[in-house]
Amino acid sequence: MTYLMNRSTLFDDLFRDVASGFYVKPLHGEALPKSVKVDVSDAGENYLIHAEIPGVSKEDIHVDIDGAKVSIKAEIKQQDSTSDDQRVLHSERYYGSVSRSFELPQDVDIEKSAAEYKDGVLQLTLPKKVQQESQRRLTIN
């Protein structure tokens, strides 16, 4: 059994070394990442979120905020730019939709929130909403 496994591995290695320059198996698109990877920080008056979303234009990124819930969604578009004299032999770039939702410890002030997208990283600055006291003592007349 060990002999067969070693022989098979040797054959695979030899074939890979010899054939690698002559033939590349066509493949189009890998699986999308399971979700957007984020770092969330509490910076006193603000929450800072850094989300990795490479290969996306800022017009294809959508951020929704509802109280303390933050949702990030991005559409990664397939971009085939081939001409009549070329064809794609191998492509590992993925396309489709990715998203991520999470809840912060405190509501966000949407009016003062800001978003910036640079070098494949979305940065959100989300000010904490000032909590108004829900309990109040009434003056008795």
Side-chain angles (χ1 to χ4, degrees), residues 7-108:
R7 183 176 173 199
S8 175
T9 304
L10 287 173
F11 178 76
D12 289 343
D13 290 343
L14 177 65
F15 182 74
R16 188 176 312 115
D17 290 342
V18 171
S20 66
F22 300 106
Y23 178 73
V24 177
K25 181 180 177 185
L27 173 70
H28 198 69
E30 287 188 351
L32 283 169
K34 293 183 190 240
S35 67
V36 176
K37 295 184 186 308
V38 296
D39 293 334
V40 181
S41 304
D42 185 340
E45 295 180 3
N46 299 313
Y47 293 111
L48 299 178
I49 286 85
H50 292 88
E52 283 186 359
I53 314 174
V56 179
S57 66
K58 67 181 181 179
E59 293 80 23
D60 294 327
I61 300 172
H62 305 285
V63 178
D64 294 316
I65 300 171
D66 182 13
K69 185 177 180 182
V70 179
S71 298
I72 301 170
K73 183 187 284 187
E75 181 72 26
I76 302 167
K77 297 182 178 174
Q78 178 181 355
Q79 297 181 0
D80 289 334
S81 58
T82 59
S83 61
D84 293 336
D85 62 339
Q86 71 179 21
R87 64 187 174 103
V88 176
L89 296 177
H90 184 79
S91 176
E92 294 181 349
R93 299 176 67 195
Y94 49 82
Y95 56 93
S97 294
V98 292
S99 63
R100 179 75 182 263
S101 292
F102 51 91
E103 194 155 338
L104 298 168
Q106 192 173 334
D107 285 357
V108 171

